[in-house]
Amino acid sequence: MSGSFLGDAFGGRGGSNTPGWPMSNILEGLEQLRTQFEQKAGSTPRMNKGDVRSAVLSLLLEQPMHGYQIIREIEERSGGSWKPSPGSVYPTLQLLTDEGLVQAEESNGRKTYSLTPEGRAAAGDETTGRTAPWEAAGSREGGRMTALPKAGVELAQAAAQVARTGNKEQVAQAVEILDDARRKLYSILAQG
């Protein structure tokens, strides 16, 4: 993000001729910032089919699960950095069933998947000595696309709330806090 973006958004070039910070520039800048963070936070790493297969086998090695449990478990274990879609998990489960590695049992209108003896052997072979796929997803991101954008979105939402409902003094205080936070963020990079 360039300095000119922040300058424009917070009353720099785009509105410095008027006293104070123009509310419309603040709100527009915060909305742009929020959108950028949400796009980054929402982008999950692309995992290959082998990773989905390995993740499904690893989880079913622990216990039988239904499809959405598998999806939630992968998301939780990856710290939110990888949430496979139903369009990747269910075809993988069907393929594993066709290969005789997984069996499905229907109960209360929901299919629960478990490993067959052949599936247990395959899962053991596939997972021995390897990093779990959900851990690999988190390391691919290095934590960058999870906590930081989420914190940025929350900060932008709070700042937008102050801009919408705060008085002039409150808006001025918020701008001071944001300026201080920006300086502190850059000082983190300067330390490294």
Side-chain angles (χ1 to χ4, degrees):
M1 201 165 304
S2 71
S4 66
F5 166 78
L6 289 174
D8 290 345
F10 294 103
R13 283 185 306 170
S16 61
N17 295 336
T18 58
W21 287 272
M23 197 63 78
S24 62
N25 283 355
I26 291 173
L27 291 174
E28 182 181 321
L30 289 171
E31 181 60 26
Q32 289 174 7
L33 184 62
R34 183 188 63 75
T35 301
Q36 287 177 351
F37 273 123
E38 284 179 344
Q39 287 171 349
K40 290 199 186 304
S43 66
T44 56
R46 273 279 196 223
M47 305 299 286
N48 67 45
K49 290 179 184 174
D51 291 327
V52 174
R53 176 187 174 95
S54 181
V56 168
L57 288 171
S58 294
L59 291 173
L60 293 180
L61 191 57
E62 295 175 13
Q63 68 181 22
M65 295 183 177
H66 58 79
Y68 279 101
Q69 280 178 300
I70 292 170
I71 293 168
R72 281 195 312 266
E73 196 66 30
I74 291 171
E75 181 182 23
E76 185 177 303
R77 291 185 189 202
S78 70
S81 66
W82 178 30
K83 182 180 180 183
S85 69
S88 64
V89 171
Y90 284 103
T92 300
L93 286 166
Q94 184 59 53
L95 179 65
L96 292 169
T97 301
D98 293 346
E99 292 175 3
L101 302 177
V102 168
Q103 61 189 10
E105 187 175 299
E106 193 158 336
S107 174
N108 296 329
R110 184 171 262 182
K111 284 186 181 179
T112 301
Y113 299 89
S114 60
L115 294 176
T116 63
E118 296 83 10
R120 289 200 166 283
D125 291 344
E126 193 162 318
T127 59
T128 302
R130 289 186 51 197
T131 302
W134 45 84
E135 290 171 5
S139 69
R140 286 180 194 169
E141 293 299 307
R144 286 180 161 194
M145 302 315 260
T146 54
L148 184 59
K150 182 176 186 279
V153 167
E154 291 169 352
L155 177 64
Q157 289 170 338
Q161 181 69 29
V162 172
R164 277 192 303 274
T165 61
N167 60 36
K168 285 183 180 184
E169 292 81 24
Q170 291 169 325
V171 170
Q173 286 177 335
V175 169
E176 283 181 40
I177 290 169
L178 291 173
D179 283 343
D180 185 49
R182 178 183 41 80
R183 283 189 294 275
K184 286 180 179 178
L185 289 171
Y186 281 127
S187 75
I188 292 169
L189 293 174
Q191 295 169 13

